[in-house]
């Protein structure tokens, strides 16, 4: 009984943070600032991959990628593939990453966001002849910068709701 | 509590499956483009996220409007009244010109210009991807929006509708790298194609010969040749002309007339004679259609008798 209840709150909580991440990713901002917008949804994904590896895995990454594809109007499957690929190392080595210091984690997240962006861009370039602008990689830096704060916040939320 | 041996399917298998699925999706969507209906359904499903994303800004705007002082309101009101008078004066002149134009066109035995219908749409989401310049507006198939529909703002051409959901539509801006629009120079009548380069403040004028008569400051109007945009709306102003002989063509850049980086209110345009027509009151339209079909049903039943 107890376990079932907590599994439903778990799901609800995880879903809520994902929706919030997507909302933050879409929120209208002035263009100068928007170029620096961190990839919130991917950071949320990385956190849950580490916190609940038995519940959030590559399937979740895939679905999140599809949602991003729909919301951004990109060709279906581009972000889905990229998210699944960068989710793999995190899902595989979550125990090791959990023991990283926050700074090490931030560097890793920055690297993974850069990898995801490179993958998505490569496919986009092949399909639609997109050209690379340097501003495309600015969010890598901002994502790495917000990671420690996001990590602490999500951990606080998780502990508050007594999710193990 | 955490089960240790719960993972039954290996990670590598999951990844392979996800990648295969994604590959098929890309293939279906890009090469065969059979995903349009699916995209429409998914767009409608995720539209709450988009509405949620614009809520803070909307609340802020509403609040700031509420706390504005009486004095400011009165000032704005009188300003608007003045503008309105101005517009009405211009409008009378416009009506006169339209009639005169029609008469002249009749004399020349050429087709009359079509009227157009407009609907105001509000931008509810801007893409965070820097290589795709698209915005989402709060009007969809329920309002009669269709794919390929031209979109303007109060200054000039903004873009065209690239996909529609029930209550949302995605608009490809003229600054997107995959967008090009046929234009005509207002001064000299030269036809050129203006393409986006992924920068909201710059467009590229394609395939201009070195002997061009284009000049810096020339206004480029939509020529209506592509069949998407109606004729005669301002698109861009020529910003620079680089006559580098070593290149095949002159390098000409232009600045879009519409403020693409701060669009908020847009105009969707319908040609008066086209099949698609705007639906200004979707709820009523659905009700009417419903009552019409039910009355038709009743009639057919009566005929059967």
């Amino acid at each position: 009984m107890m376990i079932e209840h907590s599994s439903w709150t778990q799901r609800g909580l995880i879903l809520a943070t994902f929706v919030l991440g997507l909302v933050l990713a879409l929120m209208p901002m002035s263009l100068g600032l928007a170029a620096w917008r961190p990839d919130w949804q991917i950071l949320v994904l990385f956190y849950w991959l580490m916190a609940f590896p038995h519940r959030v895995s590559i399937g979740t990454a895939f679905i999140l990628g599809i949602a991003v594809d729909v919301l951004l109007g990109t060709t279906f499957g581009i972000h889905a593939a990229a998210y699944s690929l960068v989710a793999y190392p995190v899902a595989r080595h979550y125990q090791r990453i959990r023991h990283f210091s926050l700074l090490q984690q931030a560097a890793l997240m920055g690297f993974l966001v850069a990898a995801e962006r490179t993958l998505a861009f490569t496919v986009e370039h092949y399909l639609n002849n997109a050209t690379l602008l340097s501003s495309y990689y600015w969010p890598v830096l901002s994502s790495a910068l917000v990671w420690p704060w996001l990590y602490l916040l999500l951990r606080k939320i998780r502990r508050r709701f007594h999710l193990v | 509590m955490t089960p240790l041996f719960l993972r039954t399917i290996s990670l590598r298998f999951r990844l392979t499956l996800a990648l295969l699925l994604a590959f098929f999706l890309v293939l279906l969507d890009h090469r065969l483009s059979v995903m349009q209906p699916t995209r429409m359904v998914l767009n409608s499903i995720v539209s709450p996220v988009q509405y949620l994303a614009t809520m803070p800004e909307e609340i802020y705007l509403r609040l700031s409007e509420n706390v504005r002082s009486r004095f400011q309101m009165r000032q704005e009101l009188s300003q608007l009244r003045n503008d309105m008078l101005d517009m009405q004066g211009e409008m009378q002149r416009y009506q006169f010109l339209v009639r005169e134009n029609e008469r002249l066109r009749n004399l020349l035995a050429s087709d009359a210009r079509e009227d157009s219908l407009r609907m105001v749409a509000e931008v509810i989401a801007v893409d965070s991807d820097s290589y795709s310049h698209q915005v989402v507006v709060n009007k969809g198939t329920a309002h009669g929006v269709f794919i390929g529909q031209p979109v303007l703002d109060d200054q000039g051409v903004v873009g065209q509708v690239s996909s529609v959901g029930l209550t949302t539509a995605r608009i490809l801006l003229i600054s997107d790298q995959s967008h090009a629009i046929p234009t005509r120079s207002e001064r000299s009548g030269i036809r050129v194609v203006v393409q986006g380069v992924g920068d909201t403040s710059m467009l590229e004028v394609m395939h201009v010969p070195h002997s061009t008569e284009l000049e810096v400051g020339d206004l480029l109007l939509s020529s209506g040749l592509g069949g998407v945009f109606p004729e005669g709306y301002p698109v861009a102003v020529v910003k620079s002309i680089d006559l580098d002989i070593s290149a095949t063509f002159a390098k000409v850049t232009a600045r879009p007339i519409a403020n693409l980086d701060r669009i908020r209110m847009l105009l969707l345009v319908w040609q008066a004679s086209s099949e698609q027509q705007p639906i200004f009151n979707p709820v009523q339209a659905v009700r009417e259609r419903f009552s019409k079909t039910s009355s038709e049903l009743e009639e057919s039943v009566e005929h059967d008798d």
Side-chain angles (χ1 to χ4, degrees):
Chain A
M1 245 347 239
M2 200 42 206
I3 291 164
E4 207 162 303
H5 174 76
S6 84
S7 101
W8 278 111
T9 23
Q10 234 179 50
R11 262 172 221 183
L13 188 76
I14 293 174
L15 188 69
T17 53
F18 274 128
V19 169
L20 207 66
L22 285 173
V23 164
L24 282 175
L26 286 179
M27 194 119 71
M29 304 165 105
S30 70
L31 269 183
L33 221 61
W36 286 96
R37 187 203 310 258
D39 282 346
W40 294 104
Q41 71 282 20
I42 236 187
L43 296 180
V44 172
L45 173 72
F46 286 152
Y47 179 79
W48 292 125
L49 278 170
M50 282 161 52
F52 295 129
H54 56 285
R55 200 172 287 295
V56 175
S57 188
I58 290 172
T60 319
F62 184 82
I63 294 168
L64 182 71
I66 290 286
V68 171
D69 277 332
V70 174
L71 286 168
L72 296 187
T74 40
T75 310
F76 274 132
I78 291 183
H79 284 98
Y83 281 27
S84 309
L85 267 172
V86 293
Y88 179 76
V90 182
R92 182 143 180 85
H93 300 291
Y94 66 93
Q95 278 154 328
R96 200 176 298 173
I97 300 171
R98 272 182 192 171
H99 292 288
F100 279 8
S101 73
L102 274 181
L103 273 179
Q104 281 173 318
Q105 277 185 10
L108 178 70
M109 296 310 153
F111 173 74
L112 287 173
V113 167
E116 190 274 331
R117 290 198 156 240
T118 311
L119 282 168
F121 170 76
T122 312
V123 183
E124 192 81 29
H125 176 73
Y126 175 69
L127 292 178
N128 300 330
N129 267 330
T131 47
L132 193 60
L133 305 166
S134 65
S135 64
Y136 186 60
Y137 283 108
W138 292 350
V140 172
L141 196 63
S142 58
S143 296
L145 283 177
V146 297
W147 170 258
W149 316 108
L150 188 76
Y151 176 84
L152 293 175
L153 179 76
L154 284 175
R155 193 175 67 176
K156 197 162 197 175
I157 292 173
R158 184 171 61 90
R159 293 198 174 151
R160 179 98 180 231
F161 288 90
H162 301 289
L163 303 177
V164 194
Chain B
M1 285 299 284
T2 316
L4 267 179
F5 301 104
L6 201 82
R7 183 169 294 137
T8 48
I9 314 166
S10 86
L11 269 177
R12 205 166 293 176
F13 180 73
R14 286 185 206 212
L15 180 65
T16 321
L17 201 69
L19 287 181
L20 272 178
L21 204 60
F23 178 72
F24 273 115
L25 280 174
V26 170
L27 209 68
L28 277 178
D29 195 21
H30 189 74
R31 288 269 172 261
L32 306 169
S33 57
V34 287
M35 300 291 276
Q36 209 57 50
T38 326
R39 195 172 270 275
M40 211 169 111
V41 172
L42 287 175
N43 262 334
S44 309
I45 293 175
V46 297
S47 62
V49 175
Q50 283 165 337
Y51 279 103
L52 216 60
T54 46
M55 221 154 65
E57 200 190 9
E58 225 147 78
I59 291 173
Y60 169 74
L61 280 180
R62 218 165 272 178
L63 279 181
S64 65
E65 223 151 78
N66 270 344
V67 298
R68 234 186 292 170
S69 71
R70 207 184 139 88
F71 174 70
Q72 270 176 324
M73 290 286 223
R74 274 230 305 267
Q75 223 173 17
E76 205 177 301
L77 190 67
S78 68
Q79 176 69 41
L80 284 175
R81 280 211 182 108
N82 278 343
D83 284 356
M84 176 108 151
L85 261 177
D86 264 6
M87 293 276 186
Q88 271 171 347
E90 296 257 315
M91 198 68 195
Q92 283 168 14
R93 219 175 114 69
Y94 170 76
Q95 292 292 354
F96 170 73
L97 284 174
V98 166
R99 271 198 296 276
E100 186 182 62
N101 198 340
E102 230 165 73
R103 263 205 317 277
L104 289 172
R105 281 185 160 265
N106 274 336
L107 280 177
L108 289 169
S110 57
D111 291 336
R113 287 282 162 77
E114 290 180 49
D115 257 348
S116 60
L117 295 163
R118 282 173 283 261
M119 186 189 284
V120 177
E122 212 172 312
V123 173
I124 58 172
V126 180
D127 267 3
S128 46
D129 262 357
S130 47
Y131 57 76
S132 82
H133 284 209
Q134 300 180 351
V135 295
V136 178
V137 294
N138 63 351
K139 296 282 188 288
T141 43
H143 305 86
V145 178
F146 58 95
I147 291 177
Q149 184 171 20
V151 182
L152 318 169
D153 75 350
D154 53 345
Q155 314 277 324
V157 175
V158 168
Q160 56 177 297
V161 175
S162 65
S163 74
V164 253
L166 190 62
T167 56
T168 55
R170 186 167 281 282
I171 290 162
L172 191 67
L173 302 183
I174 51 173
S175 59
D176 189 277
Q177 290 173 345
S178 64
H179 194 278
I181 171 173
T183 61
R184 185 166 45 76
S185 161
E186 191 199 29
R187 194 177 54 83
S188 55
I190 300 173
R191 279 174 289 110
V192 281
V193 172
V194 176
Q195 196 185 30
V197 289
D199 183 344
T200 48
S201 61
M202 200 184 85
L203 304 170
E204 209 173 82
V205 184
M206 313 259 299
H207 309 310
V208 182
H210 288 107
S211 58
T212 184
E213 274 179 50
L214 280 179
E215 273 172 25
V216 173
D218 274 6
L219 181 65
L220 300 174
L221 306 172
S222 59
S223 67
L225 288 177
V228 171
F229 293 96
E231 193 183 339
Y233 286 101
V235 177
V237 173
V238 175
K239 197 162 77 173
S240 74
I241 298 179
D242 180 10
L243 296 173
D244 181 3
I245 300 296
S246 63
T248 323
F249 293 106
K251 188 174 161 50
V252 181
T253 61
R255 178 180 54 79
I257 301 269
N259 290 320
L260 295 178
D261 52 346
R262 56 196 106 136
I263 36 179
R264 192 170 163 75
M265 293 300 202
L266 295 175
L267 286 172
L268 296 161
V269 182
W270 283 265
Q271 296 291 313
S273 63
S274 74
E275 280 171 38
Q276 289 96 353
Q277 288 301 315
I279 303 166
F280 287 99
N281 192 342
V283 182
Q284 199 187 342
V286 169
R287 228 177 256 160
E288 266 171 24
R289 201 182 303 161
F290 189 70
S291 63
K292 201 195 270 176
T293 46
S294 60
S295 65
E296 271 171 15
L297 272 180
E298 275 166 30
E299 268 174 36
S300 65
V301 169
E302 275 164 27
H303 282 305
D304 282 347
D305 290 340

